[in-house]
């Protein structure tokens, strides 16, 4: 849809220029036929042609008008392009800001996942040494006490990790 509108808009811009070219070609063709029909001698045609120096000025003026028209079109297009550039910069700024927020959220999520993994590992160790403590309690009290110390050491580490999280 947008491409169709742009094509129609371009056609509208070219329409006056095409009309001017057709009009010029038509006037030139008609004048050639009239001169050839009414003035049969070559020498008389040359003299007659010299009297039309003003038409050269007319065509020069039309050329100048075409150049001015083109400059005005370019000026309008440049102003639209500047507006589009400003809008693009705004959009890029918004995109960069959103990307920075996303990066920060991802970094926070990674830290959280590392902490969760550490707590899960410590919890598994505590469970393991708790089972070891229970298993060795009746068989070998020294191994049971060693497992109990390791369990308490990992429990302390879990508490320290949780305190560190609360400070953040």
């Amino acid at each position: 849809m947008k491409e169709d509108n742009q094509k129609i808009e371009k056609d509208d811009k070219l329409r006056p220029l095409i009309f001017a070219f057709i009009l010029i070609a038509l006037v030139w063709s008609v004048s050639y036929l009239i001169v050839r029909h009414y003035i049969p001698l070559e020498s008389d045609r040359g003299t007659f042609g010299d009297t039309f120096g003003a038409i050269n000025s007319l065509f020069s003026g039309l050329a100048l008008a075409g150049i001015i028209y083109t400059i005005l079109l370019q000026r309008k297009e440049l102003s639209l392009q500047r507006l589009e550039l400003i809008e693009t910069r705004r959009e890029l700024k918004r995109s960069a800001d959103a990307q920075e927020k996303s990066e920060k959220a991802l970094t926070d999520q990674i830290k959280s996942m590392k902490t969760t993994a550490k707590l899960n590992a410590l919890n598994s160790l505590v469970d393991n040494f708790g089972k070891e403590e229970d298993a060795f309690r009746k068989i070998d009290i020294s191994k049971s006490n060693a497992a109990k110390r390791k369990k308490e050491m990992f429990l302390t580490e879990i508490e320290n990790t949780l305190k560190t999280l609360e400070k953040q």
Side-chain angles (χ1 to χ4, degrees):
M1 182 79 177
K2 188 176 182 180
E3 291 176 7
D4 292 339
N5 289 342
Q6 287 176 346
K7 186 175 181 182
I8 291 170
E9 191 175 307
K10 284 183 181 180
D11 290 344
D12 288 344
K13 290 179 183 177
L14 292 177
R15 190 169 286 146
L17 188 60
I18 292 171
F19 178 74
F21 282 131
I22 291 172
L23 182 65
I24 290 168
L26 185 67
V27 168
W28 183 78
S29 299
V30 169
S31 68
Y32 174 76
L33 292 174
I34 290 172
V35 168
R36 189 166 171 91
H37 182 270
Y38 286 108
I39 305 174
L41 295 175
E42 291 283 328
S43 60
D44 291 340
R45 284 187 201 157
T47 306
F48 180 74
D50 288 341
T51 61
F52 286 97
I55 290 181
N56 286 335
S57 299
L58 173 68
F59 285 119
S60 296
L62 288 174
L64 181 62
I67 290 172
I68 291 172
Y69 178 73
T70 303
I71 290 171
L72 293 176
L73 283 178
Q74 285 180 344
R75 182 176 166 197
K76 182 178 179 182
E77 287 293 326
L78 282 175
S79 67
L80 291 174
Q81 198 172 30
R82 283 187 195 111
L83 292 174
E84 186 68 29
L85 184 61
I86 289 169
E87 194 62 34
T88 302
R89 285 180 184 158
R90 284 184 192 149
E91 194 62 35
L92 284 174
K93 175 79 170 113
R94 285 184 47 224
S95 177
D97 292 344
Q99 190 171 4
E100 286 177 10
K101 288 178 184 177
S102 176
E103 180 184 359
K104 185 181 181 326
L106 187 59
T107 303
D108 292 346
Q109 184 180 10
I110 290 170
K111 287 179 185 177
S112 177
M113 289 175 70
K114 283 181 181 178
T115 304
T116 302
K118 182 179 179 181
L119 288 173
N120 285 338
L122 291 172
N123 190 39
S124 295
L125 288 170
V126 168
D127 286 345
N128 185 41
F129 286 117
K131 289 177 185 176
E132 232 179 80
E133 179 187 0
D134 290 343
F136 286 122
R137 186 173 299 155
K138 294 179 184 172
I139 301 171
D140 188 356
I141 205 71
S142 64
K143 285 185 179 180
S144 176
N145 286 339
K148 182 178 181 179
R149 284 191 300 274
K150 287 183 181 180
K151 180 178 91 170
E152 289 172 356
M153 178 183 73
F154 288 120
L155 280 172
T156 304
E157 193 169 339
I158 288 174
E159 287 175 5
N160 291 338
T161 301
L162 291 174
K163 285 179 185 177
T164 303
L165 283 175
E166 288 175 2
K167 290 179 184 178
Q168 293 176 355

